Amino acid sequence: MSESARRRGVVPVLAIAIFGVSSGAVLVRLAEAPASAIAVWRPGLSLLVCVPLLLVSGQWRTLSRLNRRDFLWLLASGSFLALHFVLWFRSLELTSVASSTVLVTTHPLFVGLLSGLLLREPPARAEWIGILVAVGGATLIGLGDFGLGDSGAGEDPLQGDILALVAGFLAALYFIAGRRLRAKLGLWAYVTPVYAVAALVAVVIASAGGVPLTGFDGETWLALAGLALGPMLLGHTGFNWALKHVRAYVVSVTGLLEPIGATVLALLILGSAELPSWATFLGGLLVLAGVWLPLRARAGKSRSMRE
């Protein structure tokens, strides 16, 4: 397939990826399993597809070219992904789907901040404005969820909001660690070991907490299989494929549609208890605007430089 043909295929791939990741929050709610167990099976079951594709594609040969530092980055990437899953899945047990998915998608802001600290690429003015706007939105969501522990949306919404923010931070670390590897590895050579490390780290976390990994009912196993197929294979893998054919900001902006899709699916499947409050609605708009503004500014700067 030519590069131009692949570019034409980006839009449907991103559309499928958004649907995949948007289904994740609802499937976590439907799975009657502890958060750390779900964190094991989501990447673990996806390996049933990733490993054969890695072998058939022949990309496994490129793994031997990685040096020691690259392998450390690989271990870090998978570990951050596992911790992101554990905390985010726990967040979904405590707060609403809308609040959790909005706050977890703040990871582009953390990427900007971490780039200044780790890569000596400090945020520009537009990025600082976006960070302040998003922080204001997250604060509004937290204030709106304060004291709502008896609501149908979760046991402890405020704690769930905090966990979602930390999960967003871990997602940023996952992206930063993976950026180095994606430049050297093909799609399957990258995602297969990272998903495997994530599953193994989640097993350690579950074992330390005495969390069972089996014994679930049929509906839970269907939800776990859905998590591997939708959010993992269609979502994460689709985004990773698109990153090689379009600019990163395009994929990042597309990812901002996840909270909308997740909230709509939650209302349709889980019921009116997932209807966002006014604070979640307004705070969510501010968070999404805060993430979108610097990405938009960066896109405009890139276009002006090319011209």
Side-chain angles (χ1 to χ4, degrees):
M1 182 185 297
S2 67
E3 184 63 25
S4 61
R6 288 175 178 171
R7 285 181 179 274
R8 289 195 297 271
V10 165
V11 172
V13 168
L14 287 178
I16 293 171
I18 282 295
F19 176 78
V21 296
S22 296
S23 66
V26 173
L27 289 170
V28 169
R29 282 290 192 86
L30 293 176
E32 295 292 332
S36 54
I38 300 174
V40 170
W41 292 114
R42 173 168 165 172
L45 289 175
S46 71
L47 292 174
L48 296 176
V49 174
C50 293
V51 170
L53 288 174
L54 173 65
L55 296 176
V56 170
S57 67
Q59 293 183 12
W60 57 271
R61 297 183 182 91
T62 61
L63 291 172
S64 62
R65 303 173 190 169
L66 299 181
N67 56 38
R68 181 177 180 181
R69 179 173 295 181
D70 291 330
F71 275 107
L72 290 176
W73 277 108
L74 189 150
L75 292 174
S77 181
S79 299
F80 291 141
L81 182 60
L83 293 170
H84 161 77
F85 282 156
V86 171
L87 293 186
W88 183 43
F89 297 161
R90 178 55 180 160
S91 167
L92 286 165
E93 296 174 354
L94 300 174
T95 190
S96 68
V97 168
S99 294
S100 184
T101 52
V102 164
L103 294 173
V104 83
T105 51
T106 56
H107 53 77
L109 299 178
F110 291 120
V111 170
L113 289 172
L114 290 171
S115 294
L117 295 173
L118 302 178
L119 305 176
R120 295 185 179 179
E121 299 172 356
R125 179 180 178 184
E127 292 171 326
W128 280 117
I129 293 174
I131 289 169
L132 292 175
V133 171
V135 168
T139 301
L140 184 58
I141 292 174
L143 291 174
D145 283 344
F146 182 76
L148 297 182
D150 58 348
S151 69
E155 302 171 4
D156 190 342
L158 186 59
Q159 182 183 349
D161 293 346
I162 295 172
L163 289 177
L165 275 173
V166 177
F169 175 75
L170 288 165
L173 292 174
Y174 159 63
F175 289 132
I176 287 178
R179 182 169 63 178
R180 177 189 177 97
L181 295 171
R182 189 66 179 97
K184 295 185 175 183
L185 297 173
L187 179 63
W188 302 114
Y190 168 65
V191 300
T192 303
V194 169
Y195 294 172
V197 170
L200 290 174
V201 171
V203 167
V204 173
I205 295 172
S207 299
V211 173
L213 299 180
T214 58
F216 310 127
D217 59 31
E219 292 183 359
T220 294
W221 282 113
L222 285 175
L224 293 173
L227 282 166
L229 175 62
M232 211 71 214
L233 291 173
L234 297 181
H236 275 242
T237 308
F239 285 144
N240 281 318
W241 179 88
L243 279 172
K244 196 166 186 177
H245 306 289
V246 296
R247 292 184 296 274
Y249 87 89
V250 175
V251 180
S252 298
V253 171
T254 303
L256 298 181
L257 296 173
E258 179 184 353
I260 300 173
T263 301
V264 171
L265 288 175
L267 286 171
L268 292 175
I269 297 173
L270 302 178
S272 59
E274 293 295 334
L275 183 67
S277 65
W278 68 268
T280 297
F281 181 77
L282 293 179
L285 289 178
L286 286 174
V287 170
L288 296 180
V291 176
W292 179 79
L293 283 172
L295 293 173
R296 176 65 177 174
R298 185 176 300 175
K301 183 178 180 181
S302 298
R303 284 195 299 269
S304 64
M305 290 177 65
R306 290 196 305 272
E307 294 171 356

